[in-house]
Amino acid sequence: MILIRNFELFVWIAALTALAFLPLDRHHFTLCPLGALGVKWCPGCGLGRAVACVLHGDIERSFHYHVLGLPALFILVGRILSLSKKFLYLS
């Protein structure tokens, strides 16, 4: 019941944890329809790579992938904190 009620919180935590610990230079499985079609640049994939670069401490490379990587990370962390407060209040 806790997982269902707080699914979004657990998804964002898992996603940022995966981006922080997975190697940057490794090709990985993607659900991106543009990537599956062979398109080299996708704004969504670039944003994910940019956030991963920020988490690895490579800000310059992050801007290469997508200029909104750092702001996106701040937004995601803010969302996690907001959902965490709700989770702690409801528990």
Side-chain angles (χ1 to χ4, degrees):
M1 185 68 169
I2 290 175
L3 179 62
I4 294 170
R5 190 171 40 186
N6 299 296
F7 183 73
E8 183 184 0
L9 173 63
F10 294 125
V11 166
W12 288 127
I13 290 172
L16 288 183
T17 302
L19 287 175
F21 288 106
L22 290 175
L24 291 176
D25 294 330
R26 206 175 221 189
H27 293 289
H28 60 279
F29 173 74
T30 181
L31 296 174
C32 176
L34 294 176
L37 291 173
V39 175
K40 297 290 184 193
W41 187 84
C42 168
C45 295
L47 189 59
R49 289 185 188 109
V51 170
C53 287
V54 171
L55 291 172
H56 285 252
D58 194 350
I59 305 296
E60 183 178 339
R61 190 171 174 191
S62 172
F63 281 113
H64 169 74
Y65 284 123
H66 202 292
V67 295
L68 296 177
L70 190 59
L73 179 61
F74 287 134
I75 290 168
L76 289 174
V77 169
R79 182 66 179 157
I80 288 171
L81 292 174
S82 172
L83 291 170
S84 296
K85 287 179 186 175
K86 290 180 186 177
F87 174 73
L88 293 173
Y89 179 72
L90 294 175
S91 293

